[in-house]
């Protein structure tokens, strides 16, 4: 499935997008008022960990109500603003290794399993895969656009 291939490629694409960026470039916002590249990298790790847990809950519980989180607030925490990006890149690579293996083993019935998001309502694993394929491309495109602007 294309979504799984895209999710599998996300860590490689993110690493490619930030390749060769020094600390001043990592600390450059991808757009005015936006997160820095460093914050985006840490956001990937934080957000995909949250989603992986939601994925597991959907597989092991009957439509569990999940807890949302304030991703913008997480991006302002000191670790997201200042920590080296390599640990988050490694975390994302390992997490995606597990996640892609799990996605690949789903039955047709499993794809329809859901969790309940506090603001989005019921989210099926099929919808989640589509969303995270998009998410994987979304922020990489921001970084690529910044690189193009900076030359």
């Amino acid at each position: 499935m294309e979504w799984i291939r895209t999710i599998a490629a996300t860590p490689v694409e993110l690493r490619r997008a930030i390749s060769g960026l020094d600390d001043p470039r990592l600390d450059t916002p991808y757009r005015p008022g936006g997160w820095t590249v460093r914050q985006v990298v840490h956001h990937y790790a934080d957000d995909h960990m949250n989603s992986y847990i939601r994925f597991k809950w959907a597989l092991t519980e009957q439509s569990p109500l999940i807890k949302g989180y304030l991703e913008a607030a997480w991006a302002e925490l000191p670790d997201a603003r200042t920590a080296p990006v390599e640990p988050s890149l490694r975390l994302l690579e390992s997490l995606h290794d597990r996640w892609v293996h799990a996605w690949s083993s789903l039955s047709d019935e499993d794809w329809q399993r859901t969790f309940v998001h506090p603001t989005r309502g019921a989210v099926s694993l099929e919808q989640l895969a589509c969303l995270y394929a998009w998410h994987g491309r979304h922020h990489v495109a921001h970084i690529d656009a910044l690189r193009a602007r900076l030359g």
Side-chain angles (χ1 to χ4, degrees):
M1 177 177 281
E2 187 62 31
W3 295 329
I4 296 173
R5 284 189 290 278
T6 301
I7 292 167
T10 295
V12 171
E13 285 299 305
L14 179 59
R15 196 174 277 281
R16 176 203 53 77
I18 69 161
S19 175
L21 294 181
D22 58 12
D23 280 335
R25 294 287 193 220
L26 288 172
D27 293 326
T28 301
Y30 67 85
R31 64 173 166 75
W35 291 340
T36 67
V37 173
R38 184 182 310 277
Q39 286 171 295
V40 169
V41 172
H42 294 311
H43 164 70
Y44 267 105
D46 291 342
D47 190 60
H48 290 211
M49 281 190 298
N50 272 284
S51 189
Y52 177 76
I53 297 301
R54 294 168 179 177
F55 171 88
K56 291 288 197 160
W57 280 334
L59 287 172
T60 59
E61 299 177 24
Q62 191 60 43
S63 295
L65 175 63
I66 60 99
K67 183 179 184 326
Y69 77 104
L70 303 173
E71 59 186 52
W74 285 37
E76 293 302 324
L77 293 171
D79 66 317
R81 295 190 62 75
T82 63
V85 296
E86 186 58 32
S88 283
L89 291 168
R90 288 192 317 262
L91 190 155
L92 194 65
E93 289 164 350
S94 295
L95 179 65
H96 276 238
D97 283 348
R98 286 282 311 274
W99 208 7
V100 166
H101 187 80
W103 283 115
S104 299
S105 67
L106 294 182
S107 69
D108 290 343
E109 186 177 288
D110 289 337
W111 283 99
Q112 301 314 308
R113 293 188 64 90
T114 62
F115 59 79
V116 179
H117 189 279
T119 59
R120 291 187 184 145
V123 177
S124 72
L125 294 186
E126 183 174 22
Q127 291 169 315
L128 189 69
C130 179
L131 175 63
Y132 276 83
W134 170 85
H135 191 252
R137 293 186 303 262
H138 176 68
H139 291 301
V140 166
H142 288 154
I143 297 167
D144 286 341
L146 173 65
R147 289 184 80 114
R149 283 194 309 276
L150 298 176

